Amino acid sequence: MAHPSQLGFQDAASPLMEELLHFHDHAVMIIFLISTFVLYIIVVMISTTLTNKYVLDSQEIEIIWTVLPAVILILIALPSLRILYLMDEINDPHLTIKAVGHQWYWSYEYTDYEDLGFDSYMIPTQDLTPGQFRLLEADHRMVVPVESPIRVLITADDVLHSWAVPALGVKMDAVPGRLNQTAFITSRPGVFYGQCSEICGANHSFMPIVVEAVPLEHFENWSSLMLEDA
């Protein structure tokens, strides 16, 4: 998860987030090279009084500064389009979970696995135990099996919300009357935190998302205990 004074992204916990991080590094490297070249040109123009008559009117230079930006844009666009299509791919999910946004909590339904559903509220600051994170902990986590394709159907009951977990590379709007879907695969066990990313009212900051990825055996034990408690 994020930590104070962090400059980069959170560590990737899904293959899709790894792709997004690689594309970010690719784009930043191109921006760095362009910025360095422009700075060099500015310094040269300021620091020298020499003039080359072939630079003032040159067809070759005009061709270069027209073609080169087009090539750079293609080098950025092609990887970007590839990732956009990867984000829309939902092939044979092992589990489908419905996430419903309310003011100001989330509810989850595991209806295609078991008749299991529960609400997830933020744990108040005064009830936190040592080691828990303020404004990020929920009383019921969304538990998923690790290394399994998970589809999440997302909607809202009242106003616009947004279900977002940065470490998984997932962000999808929750719109009343509309069912959006997204998918992810957790590449390692762990607890991954997110928050509602659409301003939804007075307590917008107090509806965290907690996804816990566990081995399949532990997931089955958890679901059995949840059904017994229900």
Side-chain angles (χ1 to χ4, degrees):
M1 63 173 293
H3 56 79
S5 72
Q6 178 175 330
L7 296 179
F9 291 95
Q10 298 183 27
D11 292 339
S14 70
L16 182 59
M17 189 58 190
E18 290 179 9
E19 292 286 343
L20 289 169
L21 290 178
H22 292 157
F23 174 70
H24 170 266
D25 295 342
H26 169 73
V28 166
M29 198 65 210
I30 292 176
I31 293 170
F32 175 76
L33 293 174
I34 293 173
S35 301
T36 303
F37 178 70
V38 171
L39 180 62
Y40 168 75
I41 295 297
I42 291 174
V43 170
V44 168
M45 291 179 63
I46 293 174
S47 62
T48 183
T49 57
L50 300 176
T51 302
N52 190 327
K53 65 178 182 179
Y54 296 109
V55 175
L56 297 178
D57 184 16
S58 173
Q59 292 291 332
E60 291 78 9
I61 289 181
E62 291 184 7
I63 292 173
I64 291 172
W65 72 38
T66 302
V67 173
L68 190 59
V71 172
I72 292 172
L73 289 175
I74 291 172
L75 291 175
I76 295 175
L78 291 181
S80 175
L81 288 172
R82 173 178 169 271
I83 294 177
L84 281 175
Y85 279 102
L86 285 175
M87 294 176 73
D88 279 339
E89 286 288 329
I90 301 177
N91 293 324
D92 191 24
H94 294 177
L95 177 66
T96 298
I97 304 170
K98 185 178 181 182
V100 183
H102 307 268
Q103 287 183 311
W104 288 274
Y105 64 96
W106 293 95
S107 60
Y108 299 102
E109 301 172 9
Y110 291 70
T111 49
D112 77 334
Y113 176 73
E114 296 280 3
D115 188 15
L116 172 63
F118 53 87
D119 296 330
S120 179
Y121 290 87
M122 185 194 77
I123 299 178
T125 302
Q126 63 271 19
D127 296 336
L128 292 174
T129 59
Q132 291 186 320
F133 300 104
R134 177 178 171 271
L135 301 183
L136 289 177
E137 294 289 352
D139 57 355
H140 290 95
R141 295 172 172 176
M142 181 180 127
V143 181
V144 298
V146 71
E147 294 181 345
S148 296
I150 308 297
R151 177 175 63 172
V152 186
L153 303 177
I154 301 167
T155 187
D157 186 50
D158 34 47
V159 299
L160 291 175
H161 299 279
S162 185
W163 198 84
V165 183
L168 300 176
V170 174
K171 183 179 185 294
M172 182 60 68
D173 285 345
V175 183
R178 181 183 178 93
L179 205 60
N180 292 328
Q181 69 175 356
T182 187
F184 62 87
I185 302 174
T186 54
S187 54
R188 55 186 169 86
V191 180
F192 312 110
Y193 296 92
Q195 290 178 300
C196 176
S197 298
E198 189 74 51
I199 295 177
C200 56
N203 291 331
H204 160 66
S205 302
F206 308 115
M207 48 185 301
I209 300 157
V210 186
V211 178
E212 183 175 359
V214 297
L216 180 59
E217 181 182 352
H218 294 180
F219 172 77
E220 291 174 342
N221 293 337
W222 169 83
S223 61
S224 300
L225 290 174
M226 291 294 290
L227 288 170
E228 291 174 4
D229 293 342

